[in-house]
Amino acid sequence: MFKVNDNYLKLPGNYLFSTIGKKVKEYKEANPDKDIISLGIGDVTQPLAPAIINSLHRAVDEMAVKETFRGYAPDLGYEFLRSAIAENDYVARGADISIDEIFISDGAKCDSGNIQEIFALDNKIAVCDPVYPVYVDTNVMAGRTGTYNTDTGLWSDVIYMPCKADNSFAPELPKETPDIIYLCFPNNPTGATIKKAQLQEWVDYANREGAVIIYDAAYEAYISEADVPHTIYECAGAKTCAIELKSFSKNAGFTGTRLGYAVVPKELKASDGTSLNALWARRHGTKFNGAPYIIQRAGEAVYSEEGKKQTAEQIAYYMNNARMIKEGLSEAGFTVSGGINAPYIWLKTPEKMNSWEFFDYLLTNANVVGTPGSGFGPSGEGYFRLTAFGTKENTEEAIRRINTI
């Protein structure tokens, strides 16, 4: 009789956003007359920009003509997209990244979940706490996290780096040396960022200790402050210690069309000299058949002059929502952070409520959905995440409701 992978049985409960979806569904079914506003899941609400839509249409038309029809995409992705990425996201920022170090995928979530496959199971991982749950959960599935303590919410073989108000929700260098370090800036869920000098400390630390940084930069397009780095490769020495993950979901609204990429530099090598670039290329070619041609053409359009202008307008729209949320809740007496370089607001729950109690309170009394901080890790308890990805009208109404209950 077949057996299942026991590591999957170690996962506590359901995935965070699946749990939220289930609770909201049950509430709607019991209260069909209620108008629910969701500021929970980080899904965009603005339609794809016209430049992107036009590119999609042209690519679809190409697929109807024998001479321009496309089948399987190249393993790494089409050169036209990788060239646009290299030029705009890296060379323009002084980072020397070549197109054969860029791997096109269907999104940063998949890359963040899959990248751990190329590392040995006895590698020790370090994560920020709170943290995007995919990092830890996929390492649980791989068997790298040890046992789970239901009282503390911690895994025995994971190094947690608490991110709390007293350290501006940014991690400090861990006392125990990890092999793999997950960093996400601008951060999901807290919206926190670090300066270039601070990120350089992490790069120097990783090179010194022989660790690799998996750097999730999915929200870099929302950075507004000049001294906050858009890519880890702005730091000297990053190409020998860092993998970067990027997404088109939040900068260009591709949550429903799916596109992202990973950067694995050729200088990045394991202790035995194994090239991680070559290893990821082997994995990519074996287990991924490429993002669709029409979607990669749409991604190319993001870097056109029209695309840059139109997506910048959408980002400004969401960041105006973030400003409204932060100012509105602050005026109402809530303790809030984030919302400056990221589309997330991180607020302290009131009156000693835990984060799930506050979730239920908002859903029941304001018909507003957010994300409990404890779902991102033990240090998220007592906090709550709201997203700026709603419409302007829903955002204004949600804040009005919260401030009047």
Side-chain angles (χ1 to χ4, degrees):
M1 184 65 181
F2 69 86
K3 296 181 179 179
V4 300
N5 182 339
D6 288 344
N7 294 321
Y8 280 70
L9 303 180
K10 296 178 182 178
L11 289 164
N14 296 314
Y15 181 57
L16 171 60
F17 295 103
S18 298
T19 302
I20 291 172
K22 181 180 178 182
K23 288 174 76 72
V24 173
K25 181 175 181 291
E26 290 173 349
Y27 182 80
K28 285 182 176 179
E29 289 174 349
N31 302 274
D33 59 322
K34 300 295 186 182
D35 174 31
I36 308 298
I37 296 176
S38 178
L39 300 182
I41 188 170
D43 196 359
V44 296
T45 52
Q46 294 293 293
L48 291 171
I52 297 168
I53 292 294
N54 291 337
S55 182
L56 277 169
H57 281 302
R58 287 193 297 269
V60 168
D61 290 341
E62 287 182 51
M63 297 293 276
V65 179
K66 182 178 179 180
E67 288 74 19
T68 53
F69 175 77
R70 305 294 182 112
Y72 290 123
D75 285 355
L76 272 64
Y78 286 101
E79 187 170 330
F80 60 77
L81 177 57
R82 290 185 291 126
S83 294
I85 290 169
E87 180 61 34
N88 288 275
D89 290 348
Y90 295 102
V91 174
R93 295 191 175 116
D96 180 24
I97 298 295
S98 60
I99 66 170
D100 55 356
E101 295 173 310
I102 298 169
F103 297 80
I104 304 301
S105 71
D106 62 353
K109 179 177 183 179
C110 287
D111 283 341
S112 64
N114 293 331
I115 197 74
Q116 52 80 19
E117 290 183 15
I118 65 175
F119 298 102
L121 291 184
D122 60 355
N123 279 314
K124 193 89 168 180
I125 71 165
V127 297
C128 297
D129 175 29
V131 69
Y132 182 43
V134 169
Y135 308 153
V136 174
D137 285 3
T138 54
N139 277 281
V140 173
M141 294 172 182
R144 198 177 281 116
T145 51
T147 57
Y148 183 70
N149 187 318
T150 55
D151 293 328
T152 63
L154 302 175
W155 291 90
S156 62
D157 292 344
V158 174
I159 299 169
Y160 290 90
M161 302 180 291
C163 300
K164 299 184 178 182
D166 57 7
N167 63 359
S168 300
F169 301 103
E172 299 170 358
L173 297 176
K175 293 182 175 61
E176 182 181 357
T177 305
D179 301 296
I180 304 169
I181 304 165
Y182 285 84
L183 295 178
C184 174
F185 292 109
N187 185 263
N188 178 16
T190 65
T193 54
I194 57 176
K195 311 295 186 185
K196 182 179 177 180
Q198 293 173 285
L199 185 56
Q200 185 68 58
E201 290 180 10
W202 282 98
V203 169
D204 293 343
Y205 172 82
N207 278 319
R208 185 169 65 249
E209 300 296 339
V212 62
I213 297 171
I214 299 176
Y215 193 76
D216 187 343
Y219 298 93
E220 64 82 19
Y222 291 83
I223 293 171
S224 60
E225 296 178 319
D227 55 352
V228 175
H230 287 257
T231 168
I232 195 169
Y233 302 116
E234 292 180 38
C235 296
K239 291 188 72 175
T240 58
C241 71
I243 293 170
E244 185 162 279
L245 311 180
K246 295 286 287 292
S247 169
F248 287 77
S249 287
K250 308 303 167 61
N251 69 322
F254 277 53
T255 54
T257 47
R258 309 307 306 143
L259 190 66
Y261 65 88
V263 176
V264 186
K266 286 175 284 188
E267 291 97 318
L268 182 55
K269 300 182 186 299
S271 56
D272 63 358
T274 299
S275 165
L276 268 64
N277 178 279
L279 212 57
W280 188 242
R282 182 68 171 87
R283 190 267 176 203
H284 213 57
T286 301
K287 301 181 75 171
F288 184 63
N289 259 345
Y293 171 72
I294 62 173
I295 303 302
Q296 294 197 47
R297 278 297 185 194
E300 179 190 30
V302 173
Y303 297 103
S304 68
E305 289 307 309
E306 283 185 326
K308 290 177 182 178
K309 178 178 181 293
Q310 292 164 3
T311 54
E313 290 171 353
Q314 292 186 339
I315 289 167
Y317 177 95
Y318 294 130
M319 289 309 293
N320 184 56
N321 286 349
R323 179 191 58 77
M324 289 193 299
I325 296 170
K326 187 169 186 177
E327 290 179 358
L329 294 179
S330 295
E331 290 171 4
F334 287 91
T335 300
V336 297
S337 60
I340 297 174
N341 296 297
Y344 293 122
I345 304 298
W346 191 238
L347 66 107
K348 192 168 181 58
T349 58
E351 299 177 1
K352 298 183 180 180
M353 287 187 189
N354 69 40
S355 56
W356 277 107
E357 288 172 344
F358 189 60
F359 174 90
D360 291 334
Y361 177 77
L362 278 191
L363 179 59
T364 302
N365 294 283
N367 300 145
V368 172
V369 177
T371 308
S374 62
F376 297 100
S379 291
E381 184 55 271
Y383 287 89
F384 203 75
R385 192 194 77 174
L386 293 175
T387 170
F389 286 119
T391 65
K392 178 177 182 290
E393 295 75 18
N394 278 350
T395 300
E396 289 176 329
E397 174 60 17
I399 299 310
R400 186 196 66 78
R401 291 182 189 181
I402 293 172
N403 290 348
T404 55
I405 58 175

